[in-house]
Amino acid sequence: MSTPTPHIPVLIDEVIDALHPTPGERHVDATFGAGGYTRAILARGAEVVAFDRDPDAIAAGQDMVAASDGRLTLVEAPFSALESELDARGLAPVDGVVMDIGVSSMQLDQAERGFSFQGDGPLDMRMSQSGESAADFLNSADESDIADVLYLYGEEPRSRRVARAIVSARPLTRTSELATVVRKALGHKPHDKKDPATRTFQAVRIHINRELGELADGLAAAERVLKPGGRLAVVTFHSLEDRLVKHFLRERSGAMPSGSRHLPPQAAQAEATFETIGRAVRPSDAELARNPRARSATLRVARRTASAAWVAGEL
Ligand SMILES: C[S@@+](CC[C@H](N)C(=O)[O-])C[C@H]1O[C@@H](n2cnc3c(N)ncnc32)[C@H](O)[C@@H]1O
């Protein structure tokens, strides 16, 4: 078994400044991971309801629950379900919601989870460890569906060529096999800065975990559970996610007409439900020196107004 590197929380000072947790408040950490944000919120005296859909993250967090004097509730569920999960426990509304989107270092560094092309592991990539795996998808989907996933979620310009190579190499069962197929299809020089398999792995992971749909649903759920004055802080790691958050906040703060193709259709006259606070925040040079994995992180922050949440539609 490979040993996971501990996860270093990204933009943590900026996130805690934005949430400004105080004793007596309740905050949602929608992506518990190794609990870096949760620990910092608890240290400010607030309560935390933390979500993760990875059973390993929930199991590893039980010591923190035991040490929290009843101030931490850990929930194994996707954050798209955060409203119903809070309602079921009588824990809504809340004063803050933070989301730190993407995979944790523990997930990435354990070859057995199948997220990385750096070590060899089963072609899995499921955060929740259930449902369709990357191998299930790549070994059964039509070539054109694979190409669409690579193009949309990996922004892979040669998606058709890669999809064709994947289909001719089936069945694929290991991450190293997928990486080799992609490198061969695209041509790989040892001094290439970026491995050509990067975009394919990102795309398949986003598809398998329904990551953009989860993010859109999670943002809409945060709008429904936040109190007036409640704070929303979202950290993303690539442009597809950041674009979705930016459009959601622009739309909900009245800065953009409704109708983003990523977000549910809305009533045209709905009132602003968020005020954006500041501009997008990027890690400082000092943080990047400590934690190079923070390099593509972007934080966006907003404050909930008192207006009713917009009516949810279908994605
Ligand atoms: C980047 S890590 C979070 C790290 C955390 N902020 C920390 O300081 O330790 C993301 C975590 O969110 C979880 N996750 C990602 N998408 C999720 C979703 N839609 N619902 C619930 N958990 C999710 C992943 O399983 C992973 O453990």
Side-chain angles (χ1 to χ4, degrees):
M1 288 247 301
S2 41
T3 318
T5 321
H7 186 93
I8 306 174
V10 171
L11 288 166
I12 186 151
D13 294 340
E14 294 82 351
V15 163
I16 296 302
D17 275 357
L19 293 176
H20 192 64
T22 54
E25 284 191 341
R26 181 180 303 130
H27 290 254
V28 167
D29 179 351
T31 49
F32 178 74
Y37 293 175
T38 288
R39 193 175 291 110
I41 301 169
L42 289 171
R44 298 291 183 102
E47 274 177 46
V48 180
V49 187
F51 290 77
D52 207 294
R53 58 176 162 178
D54 185 339
D56 287 359
I58 298 296
Q62 293 311 318
D63 288 351
M64 210 187 284
V65 174
S68 73
D69 280 334
R71 286 193 296 124
L72 171 60
T73 306
L74 258 187
V75 183
E76 184 183 329
F79 58 62
S80 54
L82 73 86
E83 184 185 24
S84 56
E85 295 287 343
L86 291 177
D87 283 347
R89 293 168 175 79
L91 295 175
V94 299
D95 301 280
V97 174
V98 60
M99 299 174 158
D100 181 14
I101 301 303
V103 279
S104 65
S105 295
M106 293 79 71
Q107 291 167 331
L108 209 52
D109 294 342
Q110 271 184 296
E112 300 75 25
R113 300 297 304 270
F115 285 103
S116 169
F117 49 82
Q118 252 122 28
D120 179 41
L123 204 41
D124 189 320
M125 304 196 197
R126 295 170 299 179
M127 290 183 190
S128 66
Q129 304 185 28
S130 63
E132 184 185 51
S133 69
D136 294 337
F137 168 64
L138 292 173
N139 290 326
S140 65
D142 289 346
E143 188 177 312
S144 63
D145 290 342
I146 296 175
D148 286 350
V149 163
L150 302 185
Y151 186 73
L152 281 175
Y153 302 147
E155 299 180 292
E156 171 56 68
R158 288 183 287 168
S159 54
R160 288 179 194 286
R161 174 193 279 259
V162 178
R164 198 175 321 126
I166 288 173
V167 168
S168 358
R170 297 202 291 212
L172 295 169
T173 59
R174 309 288 298 175
T175 53
S176 57
E177 290 173 334
L178 176 60
T180 304
V181 168
V182 180
R183 287 174 192 142
K184 260 204 204 146
L186 296 179
H188 181 222
K189 299 177 200 74
H191 58 270
D192 276 352
K193 256 209 205 139
K194 196 168 166 183
D195 192 305
T198 310
R199 287 190 290 267
T200 293
F201 272 71
Q202 172 185 305
V204 176
R205 193 200 88 204
I206 290 178
H207 170 72
I208 288 300
N209 294 291
R210 207 183 75 86
E211 289 181 37
L212 297 181
E214 273 290 315
L215 179 54
D217 292 351
L219 291 169
E223 180 189 45
R224 295 192 296 272
V225 302
L226 278 167
K227 290 178 185 169
R231 284 80 70 199
L232 174 66
V234 187
V235 177
T236 57
F237 285 86
H238 56 75
S239 57
L240 293 171
E241 295 166 343
D242 182 51
R243 220 175 292 153
L244 199 153
V245 176
K246 186 169 81 180
H247 284 182
F248 174 84
L249 290 177
R250 278 204 187 151
E251 191 179 75
R252 298 305 218 254
S253 62
M256 185 176 92
S258 60
S260 158
R261 69 190 167 90
H262 296 298
L263 297 168
Q266 303 294 337
Q269 265 86 31
E271 285 176 25
T273 49
F274 283 101
E275 269 168 66
T276 53
I277 301 177
R279 293 173 158 272
V281 181
R282 307 293 314 272
S284 63
D285 290 344
E287 173 161 6
L288 291 178
R290 276 197 313 276
N291 183 15
R293 278 187 175 170
R295 68 187 169 279
S296 40
T298 304
L299 166 68
R300 292 187 187 268
V301 178
R303 189 183 300 115
R304 184 75 171 84
T305 69
S307 302
W310 292 20
V311 178
E314 291 299 305
L315 274 182

